[in-house]
Amino acid sequence: MFAKSLPNLFTIGNLFLGFIAIIFVFHGKPDLAAMMVIAAMLTDGLDGRVARALNVQSELGKELDSLSDIVSFGVAPAFITYVVAFQEINPPAAAWGITAIFPICGALRLARFNVMNSDARGFFVGLPIPAAGGILSTLALFHSNVHTAVLIVSTLVLSFLMVSRMKYPNFKHIGIPRSMLWLLPVLVSAVIALAVINPGPAAKLVFIPLVLYALYGLKKSVSRRIRRHRARHSLETELELEKAAH
């Protein structure tokens, strides 16, 4: 019974950390809030692996995971960004709209993932919401060093990438041996302890690989479009030469 519930406990931990992130930013602690989102990314990445390791996957776990993700990686990052950077935007309705776009696109991304089952293809269609939420949360910590316009554009770009058709690498096939499952609570506890002890630098350090991941999918998509355009142009040129020869 406990084995069947273990993956869902990680998922609930993801939801709990997202909720705590909202509370932290509400009390003026965006650094800690961002680290809670990063910790939620860890638990989100573990629940499915634990379920596969124990062979206890379920539809309940799948739906619970999506509902947790929209809070931890949709609502929480948007709220962090709004509190630290968007409150001064005029008119206020513009700030509300920009903030709302992110979790809305995240919800659409999750709904599409659930019906497309792109996980079986070895890639994600659109930027996964945990990565997008992690980027937005950590980017908000740079609000004193970057113009608000940069954060606005970043929010809109990340929202677009989530609902786009761009392909991103899927690392879910990397499993966890059953003999190592006992280490997972220790790992999660260590990350949360790091978040409490030294939240700011730790969160900003995670920002770099997340941005590289987002840019990777964008680069691959642009490269595919360029190759497709060149191939089509080459084919058209060959057809024109054949017509000219006849």
Side-chain angles (χ1 to χ4, degrees):
M1 183 65 181
F2 176 74
K4 291 183 178 180
S5 303
L6 186 58
N8 289 340
L9 290 177
F10 279 100
T11 306
I12 291 171
N14 166 15
L15 177 60
F16 174 75
L17 290 168
F19 180 71
I20 295 300
I22 294 173
I23 292 177
F24 272 136
V25 74
F26 183 76
H27 287 286
K29 298 178 180 178
D31 289 3
L32 279 171
M35 274 307 299
M36 290 301 104
V37 173
I38 299 302
M41 290 178 63
L42 177 61
T43 57
D44 178 66
L46 292 176
D47 55 5
R49 289 177 171 82
V50 172
R52 286 187 289 275
L54 298 175
N55 196 27
V56 290
Q57 302 99 314
S58 68
E59 287 299 313
L60 172 64
K62 179 180 177 181
E63 297 303 325
L64 180 60
D65 183 65
S66 293
L67 292 172
S68 300
D69 284 356
I70 193 59
V71 174
S72 298
F73 311 121
V75 176
F79 190 55
I80 292 171
T81 308
Y82 174 78
V83 169
V84 303
F86 292 169
Q87 288 192 91
E88 305 301 322
I89 295 177
N90 284 309
W96 304 338
I98 295 168
T99 304
I101 285 173
F102 186 81
I104 290 172
C105 289
L108 292 172
R109 165 69 177 75
L110 289 167
R112 185 179 65 183
F113 172 78
N114 286 344
V115 299
M116 285 185 62
N117 192 27
S118 60
D119 179 33
R121 306 178 198 175
F123 58 83
F124 292 120
V125 178
L127 180 65
I129 188 174
I135 292 171
L136 191 62
S137 299
T138 51
L139 180 61
L141 301 182
F142 296 93
H143 68 277
S144 59
N145 304 111
V146 298
H147 196 276
T148 301
V150 175
L151 292 172
I152 292 174
V153 172
S154 298
T155 301
L156 297 177
V157 169
L158 289 170
S159 300
F160 166 74
L161 290 177
M162 283 192 289
V163 296
S164 72
R165 308 289 298 182
M166 297 180 188
K167 297 177 182 178
Y168 283 86
N170 179 358
F171 302 111
K172 286 191 173 184
H173 66 279
I174 302 175
I176 299 175
R178 295 188 62 165
S179 59
M180 302 295 290
L181 292 180
W182 66 273
L183 281 174
L184 300 183
V186 178
L187 178 61
V188 173
S189 299
V191 171
I192 294 175
L194 177 63
V196 174
I197 296 171
N198 201 12
K204 291 178 179 178
L205 185 64
V206 177
F207 173 76
I208 298 173
L210 290 177
V211 169
L212 292 176
Y213 179 74
L215 292 176
Y216 173 82
L218 186 60
K219 175 185 176 298
K220 294 291 286 185
S221 178
V222 171
S223 297
R224 277 194 298 269
R225 289 179 181 273
I226 292 175
R227 287 197 301 268
R228 200 176 299 147
H229 175 75
R230 287 177 177 173
R232 186 166 55 245
H233 179 71
S234 177
L235 180 60
E236 290 174 353
T237 302
E238 290 178 5
L239 291 174
E240 289 176 0
L241 290 174
E242 288 181 5
K243 288 180 181 180
H246 292 293

